[in-house]
Amino acid sequence: MEVVIVEDQAAAGVLVADIVARHVRPGGVLGLATGSSPLPVYRELIRRHREESLSFAGCRAFLLDEYVGLPREHPESYRSVIRRELTDHIDIDRVDGPDGEATDIPAEAERYEAAIKEAGGVDVQVLGVGTDGHLGFNEPGSSLPSRTRVKTLTRQTREDNARFFDSIDDVPHHVLTQGLGTILEAGHLVLIAAGASKAPAVASAAEGPVSAFCPASVLQLHPRATLVVDEAAATQLKLADYYRYAATHKPDWQPF
Ligand code: GLP
């Protein structure tokens, strides 16, 4: 795993946008995450689309997860969020996400897995991390080879996400999420984390044991994983000096 410590969220956004942009081409398959962490990335991609003719024509995208039971048109459904924050502002061809309104949730999970496979798999997957170490909506305890399925949110995640709703009572209890095994099949995993509240999860993900207790630690199992963190999220990293040294001395020919 490559850990990159950057000054702030804006710098993280530019770096992750650079990585994503390498996969923006006809036939490219992007894995998109919601939450506030990737927003600087999406703002930068929109800017490049508008100002530098970065075209997403011929690209497809798959979302990581979705709330179960939240109407598709609800402003906080992840399909609405990704439209508002990114895909309405670029020329991407098709965006798919798990359908949280499906009457048969296990069948929908199977459909989603098949759709990703049929598209040829995800080339680059953008990720955030929950304060409890969740990846997508794979809460602590998620099995490492898990596939798309329903999960029950922890109290902590519902409290964290209550800021997007009128009250915590409006945050759904259940979600459909790509499994950890599904996520691990993407070609390149790029996790972005910012702020002091993410520091413990970032340290566990990068330097703790690989464990279902910290689902984001599965990044350690992937041959191409990049963790981009701002200074505040990096404070508990034991090898922070080494990561900075490695970035400073990175060979010109080696892209992030
Ligand atoms: C949400 C999403 C995750 C996201 C995480 C962190 O619940 N399901 O994909 O990475 O929690 O969110 P944020 O980036 O807003 O801190």
Side-chain angles (χ1 to χ4, degrees), residues 35 51 103 108 192 213:
E51 297 174 17
T103 45
E108 170 57 13
I192 178 168
F213 190 72

Side-chain angles (χ1 to χ4, degrees), residues 33-38 64-65 67 78 127-131 134-137 153 157 161 163-164 192 198:
T34 42
S36 44
S37 305
L64 275 176
D65 45 16
Y67 292 108
Y78 281 174
L127 297 160
V129 63
T131 55
H134 74 236
L135 203 60
F137 265 137
L153 294 182
T157 298
N161 289 5
R163 68 190 192 280
F164 299 115
I192 178 168
K198 298 295 174 71

